[in-house]
Amino acid sequence: MRLRTRRDTPGGTLPAILLAGILLAVAACGQGGAGTGRAAARQGEGGGTLTIWTDDKRAPALKAAADRFSKETGVTVKIQTVPGETRQVDFVTASQGGKAPDLVMGAHDWIGNLVRNGAIDPITMTEDQKAAFNSLALKGVTFDGQIYGIPFALENVVLFRNTALAPQAPKSFEELVAAGKRLKSQGKVSEVLAFPVGQNGDAYYGYPLYTAGGGYLFGQADDGDYDPGDLGLAEPGAAEAMENFAKYGEKGEGVLKRSIGTDNVASVFTGGKSAFLVGGPWFISEIQKAGIAYDISPVPGFGDTRAKPFVGVQALFVASKGPSKVLAQEFATNYFAQPDVALAFYRADPRPPALIAAFDEAKTTDQDLPKLLSAGEGGDIMPAIPAMNAVWDPWGKAIAAVVGGADPAGTTQAAAETIRSAIE
Amino acid sequence: MSDTTEISEERASHGPGHRRPRFGLSGGDGTVSTGRLVIRIAVLGVAAALALWAAFPLVNQGNWIGLGILVAVTALLFYIYLSPRVIPAKYLIPGTLFLIAFQVVPVVYTVTTAFTNFGDGHRGTKQEAITAIQDASVRQVPGSTVYVLSIATTGDPVSGDLVFLLTDPGTDASFAGTAGGLRELPAGAVRADPDGKIRQAQGYTVLTIGQAAARSAEIAAFKVPTRAGALYGQGLSRAFEGAPQQTYEAGCDCIRDAASGRTWTADESDGSFADQQGQRLAQGWKVGVGLRNFTDVVTDQEIRSSFLKMLLWNFVFAGGTVLITFALGLLVAITLNRPGMRGQRVYRSLIILPYAMPAVVMLLVWRDMFNTEFGLINRMTGLEVNWFGTPPAAQVAVLLVQLWLGYNYMFLVCTGALQSIPADLTEAASIDGAKPLYAFRTVTFPLLLIALAPLLISSFAFNFNNFAGIYLVSGGGPFPPDNPNAGATDILITYTYRLAFGGAGAQYGFAAAVSVFIFVIVATVSIIGFRRTRSLEEIN
């Protein structure tokens, strides 16, 4: 059917279409309108909202604390999950674009970059509040003499061993290799050790062995801050420390190999191919699922040297440019830093809680916790300075190259030069 | 019937002197179907709704330029779809708008970014950098008291002047802090919780948390001046005495450290505060740097030493990928194109199946399959190739992955193109005595090329920047021990990604400059390619 409209009488149609358009527009904006209404209510007698960015694992655990805050203050708390890989960049971008959340959860080594971009504010704590935290955790969130986050969990690399195959914790790396080789020659395992190297290396896991060999990464000032001008990889001791990767590498003892990386290292251990695994608490659930009897001990050093793992701290940060900074500070210091919240986080993702009271309670039912924590006690806080970002890639590759048989001295030197030029 | 007469009436009225409608729902011929009318109302309604929805945030942010563009675009849309005059524009405008939004704007943004130092530590304005420096340097005065805080006002809870009601937890003394300073309150004038939090005070209205929340920004900026600095609120329940250690001084346009007396002077060409030794403060701001990013790309020692090698491999990778996927895809397409072949559909579906899987996942699966000791490929073939450990093996590996990922697509388009070539052409060739291979080479293949050349060129352009295909599979490796920056399978985009984002922070300005260079290379290759295609068509 065709409708006919007289061209010289268009009068009725234009208003009709405009009206229809406006009606649709209003309908589509119904929700927006309601939002404006809520904003008006907030101006009136309170309410307000607090937005928190976290990961999907911890979001449910955060909900209890958020609910209590809402109940006691009348503030609406919005918990949004943002994937860990992009959360830091997204947060910086959102801060710059005026869309920052009020609080964000992340790793302590973000601090340097977040401070540089003016995205987070220092938090002032009383001495009593500070005393409630594990001192290593507090050290992790301290940057340039200021505390920048509320720590809630610690994490570091440890040595897992299959107790059915290796009942005794090795006291040194040599002992570990001897035990692994014995098992291999008996045909019980096919790998001496499951240690993540990967095709392009992994400096995070390599760090304990490097420090056990006597190397250091960045010099530390008296206040514990890392000095990007003092790069340990460029010092003479570095090559010597890196030689261990050659000694135990593919052309040496064959303990470290590039075919084992972060993506398959756990399966080598859970599949029973190796009695030892160098990894972090994030592997525990996988190991438990595989039904392997395991125990945890520190990553051993060479001879009587100590292997120092990187210690990472998970923390909650207050955004500089969040819309409700005062509420964010209130939530962070008085509602978030509570043992029951820390315990909920621990249950969501088992890592040693940073609050001493929470840790003490959790360890009564979880034997792993004290072992995880003590393995990290001799460790180094992972540097939070932006220069660290320039270290991971070149140094990881240097480790992989040396494991594959490259000359330790020349490779380390080249990595140090690349890092230096990137820092400057 | 009457319908006919009406139409003829309309036709007649199209004569000279007739006033054409300026606006209306009618089409150019003055008629419109109900369906079309409904669609038009719906589409314009949605456009108006979207415009309104986008307008609120723009108004909130005071972004008047953005609002102006929005209004102009919406007005243009309404004009075009309500006016019967601009018929070609009705068809062109959606494509043009999308072209502008998704192609032109990003390109313009990238190019303009290339002329700035935008990146970590250089994101905002100078004022934002100063605020960040000062805020980050506020330290608690050593040995000072941390007070228990209540937020109050002397007037109306919504708009009255703010007051900090404070209790010293050590002495239980109470104070009122205003913008004018601190004043002790008589002991009887306040009623406080056991922990010292003041609930009531004579002459003051204590704000509820909800009321305080509504004035969050005001409270965050509120300070009570003291001799050593100022009292800053920390949340809604504590206040501490702090002082900024680093402050901006407009006189010298510099930042001065109170304790050490060190100064950092603003350097507008670099967007940062630097001291005499050239040491910069971490917080800088975004400035235009002219051509510096471009000259950096050209003069960078690192880039110069490996650029040619990388460019060559980039061409080999992109060209090789197109060549092998096309060759295999065509071969399979011809094989399956035989009329009357049994199971044709099954074969075709099976071949297209991998094409339907997410490429990112498949890339990771392939990476694991190439693992030296645990990978499927070495285990099945009994080889002991360290695929990503030696340059030639790694290059073969990434090409094999691309072959598997890409030939299905080529098979698909070749099948389509083959079926569109008239069978009588090849029949004629065979009647003329041409052998099948000769007929294919001289008749089918040139016709195929004409149809597929644009696709091959775009496939080349895509693979030239196939970031995931390299980054997720080999990571650009293997890397020579003496150069962790340039690997054997690195293409320009993976290499520059590492340079721009692998340093001590993201350097978007620099990355944008490199993108412009890559854009020029790809554009040149594509233009040459299209020219060649046109000459191919002319021959025919």
mmCIF file of all heavy atoms in Angstrom, chain A residues 98 104 152 253 269 297 310 375 386 400:
data_model
loop_
_atom_site.group_PDB
_atom_site.id
_atom_site.type_symbol
_atom_site.label_atom_id
_atom_site.label_comp_id
_atom_site.label_asym_id
_atom_site.label_seq_id
_atom_site.Cartn_x
_atom_site.Cartn_y
_atom_site.Cartn_z
ATOM 1 N N GLY A 98 39.009 12.210 33.876
ATOM 2 C CA GLY A 98 37.991 12.667 34.821
ATOM 3 C C GLY A 98 36.950 11.607 35.147
ATOM 4 O O GLY A 98 35.852 11.917 35.558
ATOM 5 N N VAL A 104 41.129 1.884 44.056
ATOM 6 C CA VAL A 104 41.505 0.838 43.109
ATOM 7 C C VAL A 104 42.420 -0.144 43.815
ATOM 8 O O VAL A 104 43.231 0.233 44.656
ATOM 9 C CB VAL A 104 42.170 1.441 41.848
ATOM 10 C CG1 VAL A 104 43.463 2.159 42.177
ATOM 11 C CG2 VAL A 104 42.427 0.382 40.795
ATOM 12 N N PHE A 152 46.894 -5.602 51.831
ATOM 13 C CA PHE A 152 46.042 -6.672 52.366
ATOM 14 C C PHE A 152 46.604 -8.066 52.172
ATOM 15 O O PHE A 152 46.167 -8.992 52.820
ATOM 16 C CB PHE A 152 44.605 -6.572 51.839
ATOM 17 C CG PHE A 152 44.454 -6.700 50.351
ATOM 18 C CD1 PHE A 152 44.381 -7.950 49.764
ATOM 19 C CD2 PHE A 152 44.373 -5.581 49.558
ATOM 20 C CE1 PHE A 152 44.232 -8.070 48.397
ATOM 21 C CE2 PHE A 152 44.228 -5.693 48.193
ATOM 22 C CZ PHE A 152 44.168 -6.936 47.608
ATOM 23 N N GLU A 253 74.030 -28.347 33.565
ATOM 24 C CA GLU A 253 73.406 -29.467 34.263
ATOM 25 C C GLU A 253 72.037 -29.839 33.695
ATOM 26 O O GLU A 253 71.477 -30.866 34.051
ATOM 27 C CB GLU A 253 73.246 -29.103 35.744
ATOM 28 C CG GLU A 253 74.539 -28.649 36.395
ATOM 29 C CD GLU A 253 75.115 -29.708 37.319
ATOM 30 O OE1 GLU A 253 74.503 -30.775 37.438
ATOM 31 O OE2 GLU A 253 76.178 -29.455 37.897
ATOM 32 N N PHE A 269 54.800 -30.015 37.265
ATOM 33 C CA PHE A 269 54.801 -30.463 38.665
ATOM 34 C C PHE A 269 53.561 -31.277 38.988
ATOM 35 O O PHE A 269 53.647 -32.380 39.549
ATOM 36 C CB PHE A 269 54.895 -29.241 39.580
ATOM 37 C CG PHE A 269 54.962 -29.578 41.041
ATOM 38 C CD1 PHE A 269 56.107 -30.106 41.601
ATOM 39 C CD2 PHE A 269 53.871 -29.352 41.863
ATOM 40 C CE1 PHE A 269 56.177 -30.401 42.958
ATOM 41 C CE2 PHE A 269 53.924 -29.652 43.219
ATOM 42 C CZ PHE A 269 55.088 -30.176 43.764
ATOM 43 N N SER A 297 58.793 -24.644 51.100
ATOM 44 C CA SER A 297 59.997 -24.168 51.780
ATOM 45 C C SER A 297 60.574 -23.019 50.966
ATOM 46 O O SER A 297 60.169 -22.812 49.824
ATOM 47 C CB SER A 297 61.008 -25.312 51.914
ATOM 48 O OG SER A 297 61.337 -25.811 50.640
ATOM 49 N N PHE A 310 61.429 -11.895 45.160
ATOM 50 C CA PHE A 310 60.721 -10.619 45.175
ATOM 51 C C PHE A 310 59.502 -10.760 46.066
ATOM 52 O O PHE A 310 58.779 -11.757 45.984
ATOM 53 C CB PHE A 310 60.210 -10.271 43.775
ATOM 54 C CG PHE A 310 61.217 -9.546 42.927
ATOM 55 C CD1 PHE A 310 61.403 -9.901 41.604
ATOM 56 C CD2 PHE A 310 61.948 -8.479 43.436
ATOM 57 C CE1 PHE A 310 62.304 -9.222 40.802
ATOM 58 C CE2 PHE A 310 62.847 -7.798 42.639
ATOM 59 C CZ PHE A 310 63.033 -8.168 41.324
ATOM 60 N N ALA A 375 59.118 -17.858 53.811
ATOM 61 C CA ALA A 375 59.921 -17.926 52.587
ATOM 62 C C ALA A 375 60.147 -16.527 52.023
ATOM 63 O O ALA A 375 61.127 -16.275 51.328
ATOM 64 C CB ALA A 375 59.237 -18.806 51.549
ATOM 65 N N PRO A 386 59.385 3.497 38.552
ATOM 66 C CA PRO A 386 59.040 3.269 37.144
ATOM 67 C C PRO A 386 60.161 2.606 36.354
ATOM 68 O O PRO A 386 59.907 1.879 35.403
ATOM 69 C CB PRO A 386 58.774 4.677 36.615
ATOM 70 C CG PRO A 386 58.402 5.494 37.803
ATOM 71 C CD PRO A 386 59.181 4.916 38.941
ATOM 72 N N ALA A 400 67.096 -16.034 29.742
ATOM 73 C CA ALA A 400 66.795 -17.110 28.788
ATOM 74 C C ALA A 400 68.007 -17.408 27.916
ATOM 75 O O ALA A 400 68.333 -18.567 27.652
ATOM 76 C CB ALA A 400 65.595 -16.729 27.929
#
